[in-house]
Amino acid sequence: MSHLRNGMRASQLRGVTWRKSSRSGPTGGNCVEIAALLGSALDGALNGALNGAPSGAVAVRDSQQPDGLALIFTAATWQAFTGGLAAGLDRRPA
């Protein structure tokens, strides 16, 4: 794998540390995990899987399918998403 891309297998992102959502319960269930992608700093350890990854990019995977597909977000997109969650934009109107 020479290029980072959306929909790549999470198992191809070797050397990254996956973290489970802080909202995950102790029994697992429907959880997501995220991993910071550090770009060129990790190229050697990841056999080029993150070649050219923008600094601060984030990968997301389904914790129940750790070898499944990963979604890759730029730092700006991830910050907008998490900022929206913190501001309560995930809540539907009553």
Side-chain angles (χ1 to χ4, degrees):
M1 178 69 36
S2 61
H3 296 288
L4 181 69
R5 70 185 195 318
N6 245 340
M8 67 188 299
R9 294 246 170 240
S11 58
Q12 292 175 310
L13 297 171
R14 292 177 299 277
V16 299
T17 301
W18 293 96
R19 295 183 304 139
K20 198 170 278 194
S21 168
S22 61
R23 302 250 177 181
S24 297
T27 60
N30 299 321
C31 303
V32 296
E33 295 175 321
I34 64 167
L37 305 178
L38 304 177
S40 60
L42 291 178
D43 271 349
L46 301 176
N47 298 323
L50 301 179
N51 187 23
S55 179
V58 174
V60 178
R61 72 178 181 183
D62 180 345
S63 64
Q64 292 183 346
Q65 297 182 9
D67 293 328
L69 304 180
L71 297 176
I72 310 297
F73 297 92
T74 64
T77 302
W78 186 252
Q79 289 171 353
F81 172 69
T82 56
L85 291 175
L89 297 180
D90 62 323
R91 292 182 179 86
R92 295 185 179 156

